[in-house]
Amino acid sequence: MTLEQNLKAAAPKQSVTYDGATLLVYHVNTGWGLPKHSHEYAHLVMCHAGSIKVSNERRSIVMTKDTQSVNLKASEWHEIEALEDGTVFINVFAESKV
């Protein structure tokens, strides 16, 4: 499924800010995630259960609990899509205070 196939936007199940870093925890099913977007800060993506497809301007990667965290660059569009029910992924970021 891609953005053109109506990826459903998910809301975080949990949101925690600790010492300047924010963790957004998503519990999603197939076809849910974060549609194509960008922002002014980089962030890490981690998959803890199930699987996700992370896409950006250069490539797509499928992640599972065994995949190393992926860093998404600031100001570059990206999209995160759950590939199976019961998927849990986390975004970690710290917005710079310029």
Side-chain angles (χ1 to χ4, degrees), residues 45-93:
V45 178
M46 295 176 268
C47 184
H48 285 270
S51 60
I52 56 175
K53 180 173 78 171
V54 179
S55 302
N56 66 16
E57 296 175 5
R58 296 177 313 279
R59 64 184 180 142
S60 291
I61 181 174
V62 173
M63 298 179 68
T64 68
K65 64 181 177 54
D66 297 317
T67 307
Q68 180 67 34
S69 302
V70 170
N71 183 51
L72 298 174
K73 292 181 178 182
S75 303
E76 182 175 272
W77 74 261
H78 52 277
E79 177 176 83
I80 302 171
E81 174 191 353
L83 299 178
E84 58 189 280
D85 290 349
T87 293
V88 177
F89 71 91
I90 298 175
N91 283 344
V92 180
F93 61 91

Side-chain angles (χ1 to χ4, degrees), residues 18-64:
Y18 181 77
D19 200 21
T22 299
L23 289 85
L24 300 177
V25 181
Y26 295 86
H27 292 218
V28 292
N29 289 323
T30 305
W32 286 81
L34 300 176
K36 185 176 176 180
H37 67 285
S38 64
H39 30 73
E40 296 302 313
Y41 51 87
H43 70 84
L44 289 178
V45 178
M46 295 176 268
C47 184
H48 285 270
S51 60
I52 56 175
K53 180 173 78 171
V54 179
S55 302
N56 66 16
E57 296 175 5
R58 296 177 313 279
R59 64 184 180 142
S60 291
I61 181 174
V62 173
M63 298 179 68
T64 68

